[in-house]
Amino acid sequence: MEENRCKFWLPKKNRFCANSPLNDSQFCGNHKPRSTEQWIPCPIDPSHSVLKENLESHVKRCPLLKQAQSLSLQPFYQKGINAGKEEEEEDNVSSEMKRSAVYSMTVTQFCKLINKIESVHASTCKDIWESYKVPEACNMWIKREVDRKLPFQEKHVAQQASILGNLEDFGVIKSSVGSKEADSQGFCSDDSNFVHAVVEFGAGRGYLTQMLADCYGFDRVFLVERKSYKLKADRSLRQKESLILERLRIDIEDLNLNAVESLRGIPYLAIGKHLCGPATDLTLRCCLSEQCNQGSVQDCRSNANLKGLAIATCCHHLCQWKHYTNRKFMSDLGITKGQFHAMTWFTSWAVDADHSSDLPDITDCSLQLQSIEEKQCFGDMHGVEDVVRNMKPVERAVLGFKCKQIIDVGRMMWAKEHGLDTQLVKYVPSGISPENHLLLARHAKCL
């Protein structure tokens, strides 16, 4: 009998485990040593992992297999269409890899990188200003005059309202409160809301679209989200008799927006609140075909359907060089792929500090770097890890914010190169959310 039992000893019970061992093992599945096993992402859905030795059998019974098969038959599914082009295929660079690369620098190299970031920020990030706006049209949400079943968190409502307020101020949407005059093309007017659509990327539960539909009257909405959520806004939105709702459960990386039949030829507004890391880059490519710069007239015409865009960026530490839209912008500034990944790692410092009050926009980092070099000469610091450990939290946070702004300015410039009027603003104080950058764009002919 002992031969048919797992060889894992249970000290509290003073006996071996009673379960049967696995084939070719002395242990059962619960107690099999994990040290030599390799976990790899599931090829069907990389959001979960599986043991390498079990991969073949898992792929046949993965819970998401049917969904993946169904998605692959959709006309708007095109694997990796928005991923960007890379000369060599490469895996994502993890935060641990980015940190190791930074810590492997010499102190001199680290200081030179900080100096370069300071110089680039001073020359490229001059036109970012505070723009916290709460429009009159959103009063019904601000005053909680909405369905009590809808979740209400003040900080999220403030962010959503400011996104919509900035879109209104930028001339992309117009409220029915007050003047109802339309522009020469009818866009942003009350009448045009019945034919124009809203596409929310990374929609989650869809409450940004819920507020937009409630306060500005849009009646055709598309929610793009790869995950499944409970307590979605869909149920409330579907109660609007005139509203047409379509949820596209797909990764933005694989979405060919021009192939969505119900959106084809319809001018639309693209929005997204806190699109994590590369999702912002994927969304920009999804809305603005890169082929437009390569002389494809058809794709250029399809881009004309995009009338406006508002993306609140987020989680820059997850950004990847292979997905980033404006690598040319970085390269022209002398920032290499490795330095870009180092900058993305620095951005995590921006959300580590205390944001109960706004951080200063500019600090004198040159004195700090001089002090670092002096301490190194006297042997007080040994490597970049010691340097980082001795930096003040506020200094790290300011550096992180500067890296965030450089990354987002590159994205803004890329959208501008594709024929859009653009702005980058801080749409809420950092006390409400340190992730407070909003990229705004509008079609030039919409004015």
Side-chain angles (χ1 to χ4, degrees):
M1 290 293 293
E2 292 295 331
E3 293 296 327
N4 295 326
R5 290 186 176 182
C6 170
K7 297 302 181 183
F8 187 83
W9 180 255
L10 302 172
K12 291 184 178 181
K13 296 184 178 181
N14 196 32
R15 63 172 175 83
F16 288 100
C17 171
N19 293 331
S20 299
L22 299 173
N23 293 334
D24 302 324
S25 174
Q26 294 183 324
F27 302 93
C28 68
N30 291 329
H31 298 128
K32 186 178 179 181
R34 305 292 184 186
S35 57
T36 60
E37 295 175 342
Q38 183 180 1
W39 291 80
I40 59 176
C42 171
I44 296 174
D45 179 17
S47 66
H48 66 278
S49 299
V50 62
L51 284 171
K52 187 176 183 180
E53 62 186 50
N54 297 336
L55 179 61
E56 185 176 352
S57 62
H58 172 81
V59 169
K60 297 177 182 178
R61 54 184 174 81
C62 178
L64 298 175
L65 178 60
K66 289 184 179 180
Q67 178 192 331
Q69 291 173 338
S70 175
L71 180 61
S72 65
L73 300 176
Q74 297 295 331
F76 51 79
Y77 174 82
Q78 189 170 342
K79 182 68 175 176
I81 184 176
N82 303 315
K85 297 179 180 178
E86 183 69 18
E87 295 179 359
E88 297 180 2
E89 291 292 332
E90 63 176 22
D91 295 328
N92 286 341
V93 182
S94 66
S95 293
E96 291 77 11
M97 295 166 66
K98 294 175 182 180
R99 178 181 59 194
S100 297
V102 171
Y103 285 170
S104 66
M105 293 179 180
T106 65
V107 174
T108 301
Q109 289 174 331
F110 179 78
C111 290
K112 286 182 178 179
L113 176 58
I114 303 302
N115 277 325
K116 180 182 288 188
I117 292 170
E118 289 289 315
S119 175
V120 168
H121 182 270
S123 62
T124 62
C125 301
K126 300 176 181 178
D127 299 324
I128 305 174
W129 59 84
E130 305 282 345
S131 184
Y132 180 36
K133 299 182 180 295
V134 180
E136 187 179 355
C138 294
N139 278 347
M140 61 181 296
W141 270 82
I142 300 299
K143 297 178 180 179
R144 305 193 185 194
E145 297 173 352
V146 293
D147 187 348
R148 292 187 178 182
K149 293 182 180 179
L150 296 176
F152 186 96
Q153 286 187 294
E154 188 173 348
K155 66 175 183 178
H156 291 303
V157 171
Q159 292 171 58
Q160 292 165 188
S162 187
I163 290 173
L164 304 187
N166 275 282
L167 275 170
E168 182 179 331
D169 190 62
F170 200 44
V172 178
I173 59 177
K174 180 174 288 186
S175 169
S176 60
V177 178
S179 175
K180 293 189 177 182
E181 297 178 0
D183 61 16
S184 59
Q185 291 193 356
F187 183 61
C188 307
S189 71
D190 296 329
D191 294 337
S192 68
N193 283 350
F194 291 95
V195 294
H196 289 161
V198 177
V199 183
E200 182 178 357
F201 291 87
R205 293 177 173 84
Y207 287 108
L208 176 58
T209 292
Q210 173 83 63
M211 180 180 286
L212 184 59
D214 286 348
C215 302
Y216 289 86
F218 284 90
D219 59 2
R220 181 172 298 193
V221 298
F222 297 79
L223 304 178
V224 180
E225 174 58 57
R226 65 181 180 182
K227 296 181 181 180
S228 177
Y229 283 90
K230 295 180 179 180
L231 304 176
K232 300 187 291 288
D234 302 37
R235 186 172 183 177
S236 176
L237 286 169
R238 292 186 194 280
Q239 290 178 358
K240 297 178 180 292
E241 294 182 359
S242 61
L243 185 138
I244 300 173
L245 169 66
E246 188 170 347
R247 182 175 278 269
L248 305 177
R249 191 174 173 186
I250 186 174
D251 195 312
I252 303 170
E253 183 176 343
D254 306 322
L255 174 61
N256 182 355
L257 202 61
N258 297 328
V260 178
E261 185 65 32
S262 51
L263 185 62
R264 189 170 293 168
I266 299 176
Y268 68 92
L269 165 66
I271 59 175
K273 177 175 175 283
H274 289 175
L275 281 174
C276 290
T280 294
D281 302 297
L282 302 177
T283 297
L284 289 172
R285 284 200 184 89
C286 187
C287 297
L288 298 166
S289 172
E290 286 190 295
Q291 296 180 9
C292 185
N293 284 348
Q294 301 172 9
S296 174
V297 177
Q298 182 178 358
D299 283 322
C300 287
R301 287 177 179 173
S302 66
N303 288 343
N305 292 326
L306 175 68
K307 295 302 180 182
L309 178 144
I311 297 176
T313 61
C314 177
C315 300
H316 296 72
H317 64 284
L318 298 176
C319 291
Q320 302 289 326
W321 178 260
K322 68 177 183 178
H323 294 312
Y324 187 62
T325 49
N326 210 344
R327 295 192 291 256
K328 184 179 182 298
F329 168 77
M330 292 291 177
S331 298
D332 290 346
L333 293 170
I335 297 174
T336 65
K337 180 197 296 188
Q339 290 173 335
F340 173 83
H341 283 144
M343 288 172 57
T344 64
W345 187 68
F346 294 155
T347 62
S348 63
W349 294 344
V351 294
D352 284 344
D354 177 14
H355 297 287
S356 56
S357 59
D358 289 341
L359 294 172
D361 289 331
I362 299 174
T363 58
D364 188 357
C365 289
S366 59
L367 295 178
Q368 174 200 350
L369 295 179
Q370 182 180 356
S371 174
I372 290 172
E373 292 172 343
E374 288 175 355
K375 289 182 179 179
Q376 186 194 18
C377 291
F378 288 103
D380 295 335
M381 288 191 180
H382 303 283
V384 174
E385 188 170 357
D386 280 349
V387 173
V388 172
R389 190 180 297 112
N390 282 277
M391 291 175 68
K392 296 179 181 178
V394 68
E395 293 171 339
R396 291 198 297 266
V398 170
L399 177 61
F401 272 116
K402 289 183 177 182
C403 291
K404 280 177 175 287
Q405 290 178 1
I406 293 170
I407 292 170
D408 285 341
V409 164
R411 290 162 163 168
M412 180 187 70
M413 296 301 295
W414 188 85
K416 190 173 184 178
E417 291 169 2
H418 282 68
L420 300 182
D421 294 324
T422 58
Q423 281 184 4
L424 182 64
V425 300
K426 297 178 182 178
Y427 74 104
V428 290
S430 59
I432 294 179
S433 174
E435 302 282 16
N436 62 352
H437 288 170
L438 180 66
L439 173 59
L440 295 164
R442 63 188 176 193
H443 199 285
K445 295 182 180 180
C446 181
L447 300 181

